[in-house]
Amino acid sequence: MTGSPLPSGSEWTFEAIAAHDAAIAELADAHGLERYPHRLEIITSEQMMDAYASAGMPVNYHHWSFGKHFLATEGRYRRGRMGLAYEIVINSDPCIAYLMEENSLPMQALVVAHAAYGHNSFFKGNLLFRQWTSPDTILDYLVFARNYLASCEERHGVEAVEAILDACHALMNFGVDRFRRAPRPSLAREIQRRQEREAHRQSQVNELWRTLPAGRAREAPGEPERFPAQPEENLLYFIEKHAPLLEPWEREVVRIVRKIAQYFHPQRQTQVMNEGWATFWHYTLLTELHAQGRIGDGFMLECLHAHTNVVMQPPHDSPAYAGINPYALGFALWSDLRRMCEAPDAEDRAWFPEVAGQPWGEVFPFAMANFKDESFIAQFLSPRLMRAFRFFTVQDDDRERTLAIGAIHDESGYRTLRNALADQYNLGSREPDIQVWNVDRRGDRSLTLRYTSRNRRDLGGDWQAVLAHAAFLWGFTVRLEEATAGGEVRFLGEHVPAPRR
């Protein structure tokens, strides 16, 4: 596939960006990249910082934390202590890609390939995004959320709304479903359901607190049945449905925050895959344009300079080191997967017999669609990459006085390394497992949360704040227990909220 040379130089115009977009689209179609229709928008650096503050969404409700984040970002940027992203892309239909007006034309072309074709195709193809997000309705839902919260502020006051939002934001990571498939709501259905909920009185909404006559005669002998019957992982969902003192509008606010948290949950599980996939495709598409003679050497050198900065992995003793660069690891994984398909060696055939020598155009869509970070690393991290990154494991056992090297570059060490690295990207390992365990329906209506420890990890010092926010929403005492691997349960603490009006 060949074509006429594309616009070059540093200064971009809308016509030049459109020409590069069309050329990249031809190559993307040839590779079979399925994607949503996209829209490119040019924004200023201040607008980019504003997008930073509002989680990258073009529409959002008002909250003081967004302004605080904006001021902090602006201060660091003005003092030269941080740079801004070249782009922000939104998982919506149509997909929206923001390009900074300060970018040069080569950078705009790179951003278009990275965001509008790389991230966009990942959003559409990955199973997590297909199950848990609804790109065609998310922007409408955010408009609904903004307007609803604005109306709540007018009716009930800004302080009352902010108090609920503060507590919900603090519990967002505990307000997602990790395993159940979420329904796909529409804007009309959301408005209808809100009206139905507001039409009922509190006693009608919450069946949990109905009083039954002759309760003692109807109770079965023995201990009362535990509620919920099974532990509930989604704390915000349980509070929304069962908190006895929340007013209907407060339940709706909890619901809004919970749904937005669920929308972003797949992104937290696929950062390495998603960024690596987008980086691989901007590098591949621009390299092919250069091979066709449609972009010149100077144009390509600027793109390669930016690409190299993105995938650079600082050494552990560098001041710039901040852990493993997800762009570096993700790009290396996808590039190595293509190498194993096109030019496998004996080691590849021994470790990856189902991939080695197979058409990479067939392997890539399968890998992109069916994995998340932890499983992708556990499946496709090769010994070659482990040697290139110089990975090794360190055993940090709190029962020992010294550290120990746990795995090196040998047959068993490679497998240990791969599993250990994959576990670092497992949200279940990185975040505490706190679930709703019991509600004292016959007594003080207290809520009991249970933390299941893993590898004897301590909760740290933030669990008191979690209890405080949960108790504010629940309206009664919230207790926290810890269940150890040995089956023991110990009481950690409780929080008694101030009486609600």
Side-chain angles (χ1 to χ4, degrees):
M1 183 187 303
T2 58
S4 58
L6 294 169
S8 59
S10 296
E11 298 298 326
W12 61 266
T13 62
F14 291 106
E15 293 76 12
I17 294 176
H20 282 274
D21 185 20
I24 293 170
E26 294 177 7
L27 294 177
D29 292 337
H31 284 291
L33 282 182
E34 296 186 8
R35 56 198 183 274
Y36 298 116
H38 65 266
R39 189 171 73 217
L40 305 177
E41 297 188 6
I42 310 295
I43 62 176
T44 65
S45 59
E46 184 169 322
Q47 290 173 316
M48 181 66 77
M49 287 185 283
D50 185 61
Y52 271 31
S54 58
M57 304 306 294
V59 181
N60 213 333
Y61 53 81
H62 300 294
H63 188 248
W64 63 267
S65 63
F66 300 149
K68 178 181 177 181
H69 189 189
F70 174 84
L71 292 175
T73 302
E74 183 184 37
R76 291 195 301 269
Y77 178 69
R78 300 300 182 195
R79 291 191 296 268
R81 295 183 179 179
M82 67 168 289
L84 295 181
Y86 298 120
E87 47 76 31
I88 286 182
V89 60
I90 298 170
N91 174 26
S92 60
D93 184 7
C95 177
I96 302 175
Y98 291 129
L99 287 64
M100 272 213 307
E101 67 177 5
E102 288 86 349
N103 293 342
S104 64
L105 178 59
M107 283 308 308
Q108 303 290 34
L110 184 147
V111 164
V112 169
H114 182 93
Y117 294 89
H119 284 307
N120 189 2
S121 60
F122 193 91
F123 292 149
K124 186 169 185 179
N126 184 263
L127 186 61
L128 283 174
F129 286 91
R130 287 161 52 190
Q131 282 187 331
W132 294 105
T133 66
S134 184
D136 56 335
T137 62
I138 182 60
L139 296 183
D140 286 339
Y141 187 78
L142 289 173
V143 171
F144 156 76
R146 182 190 62 185
N147 294 338
Y148 181 78
L149 285 169
S151 66
C152 289
E153 290 177 348
E154 293 178 357
R155 292 181 180 181
H156 309 287
V158 174
E159 292 184 0
V161 175
E162 283 192 349
I164 295 293
L165 284 177
D166 290 347
C168 292
H169 282 192
L171 301 175
M172 283 184 78
N173 289 349
F174 304 103
V176 296
D177 292 315
R178 292 177 173 84
F179 304 106
R180 292 181 300 187
R181 182 185 178 90
R184 295 178 176 267
S186 64
L187 176 61
R189 180 58 180 159
E190 285 297 328
I191 295 176
Q192 178 185 355
R193 293 182 65 177
R194 176 178 64 82
Q195 293 172 345
E196 291 174 355
R197 287 192 292 271
E198 290 183 346
H200 290 77
R201 299 292 298 172
Q202 183 74 15
S203 60
Q204 294 173 320
V205 172
N206 196 345
E207 296 290 340
L208 177 62
W209 309 111
R210 284 188 178 274
T211 58
L212 299 176
R216 292 187 177 181
R218 298 187 181 188
E219 287 181 1
E223 295 184 0
E225 182 180 356
R226 185 167 63 86
F227 181 84
Q230 298 295 329
E232 171 61 57
E233 65 173 353
N234 194 327
L235 180 56
L236 286 183
Y237 177 83
F238 189 85
I239 288 174
E240 173 201 339
K241 298 301 181 183
H242 303 295
L245 300 182
L246 287 183
E247 297 182 13
W249 71 269
E250 294 174 315
R251 297 185 194 278
E252 189 66 36
V253 174
V254 176
R255 176 181 172 85
I256 287 172
V257 176
R258 176 175 65 84
K259 285 190 167 294
I260 294 176
Q262 192 71 61
Y263 171 84
F264 285 108
H265 189 58
Q267 298 189 27
R268 300 174 61 226
Q269 299 181 87
T270 57
Q271 184 184 22
V272 171
M273 281 188 70
N274 197 347
E275 297 296 354
W277 175 267
T279 304
F280 172 86
W281 280 112
H282 83 230
Y283 176 81
T284 300
L285 297 174
L286 292 177
T287 300
E288 292 181 2
L289 283 178
H290 179 254
Q292 296 173 3
R294 304 193 67 183
I295 58 177
D297 293 343
F299 192 102
M300 189 62 190
L301 281 174
E302 183 173 346
C303 293
L304 289 176
H305 176 73
H307 169 82
T308 304
N309 289 336
V310 166
V311 301
M312 189 266 294
Q313 174 60 57
H316 71 280
D317 55 352
S318 169
Y321 180 78
I324 298 175
N325 181 358
Y327 292 86
L329 181 59
F331 176 71
L333 282 164
W334 287 111
S335 300
D336 194 54
L337 184 57
R338 179 176 181 177
R339 179 198 61 78
M340 288 189 288
C341 293
E342 294 183 327
D345 55 23
E347 185 180 54
D348 299 324
R349 296 186 184 279
W351 278 74
F352 308 99
E354 298 180 355
V355 171
Q358 299 300 313
W360 73 277
E362 298 177 5
V363 173
F364 267 48
F366 170 79
M368 179 267 289
N370 295 287
F371 293 88
K372 54 185 176 180
D373 285 347
E374 57 178 294
S375 57
F376 185 67
I377 292 171
Q379 183 71 23
F380 296 113
L381 181 64
S382 68
R384 178 188 290 247
L385 272 189
M386 288 183 248
R387 292 191 295 267
F389 277 84
R390 300 180 179 180
F391 286 145
F392 62 91
T393 65
V394 176
Q395 294 180 350
D396 186 6
D397 193 330
D398 60 347
R399 295 168 296 187
E400 302 292 337
R401 299 185 61 183
T402 59
L403 302 177
I405 303 300
I408 58 174
H409 295 169
D410 55 22
E411 184 70 18
S412 62
Y414 288 134
R415 301 188 187 279
T416 302
L417 276 169
R418 189 165 62 177
N419 292 335
L421 183 61
D423 188 62
Q424 290 187 11
Y425 292 93
N426 179 4
L427 289 184
S429 299
R430 291 157 47 189
E431 298 178 351
D433 180 13
I434 299 178
Q435 300 187 19
V436 176
W437 183 256
N438 188 32
V439 174
D440 185 2
R441 293 187 290 176
R442 298 291 184 263
D444 60 359
R445 297 186 179 183
S446 62
L447 173 69
T448 299
L449 306 178
R450 180 165 291 187
Y451 162 63
T452 302
S453 63
R454 179 170 179 169
N455 296 328
R456 303 189 316 279
R457 291 181 180 173
D458 192 4
L459 264 177
D462 295 335
W463 62 268
Q464 293 94 340
V466 172
L467 283 189
H469 290 296
F472 173 78
L473 294 175
W474 183 251
F476 295 92
T477 301
V478 175
R479 299 184 175 91
L480 182 63
E481 301 174 344
E482 179 182 7
T484 65
E488 300 177 356
V489 177
R490 65 188 184 97
F491 175 75
L492 293 180
E494 67 179 19
H495 186 88
V496 181
R500 294 174 62 94
R501 291 187 300 172

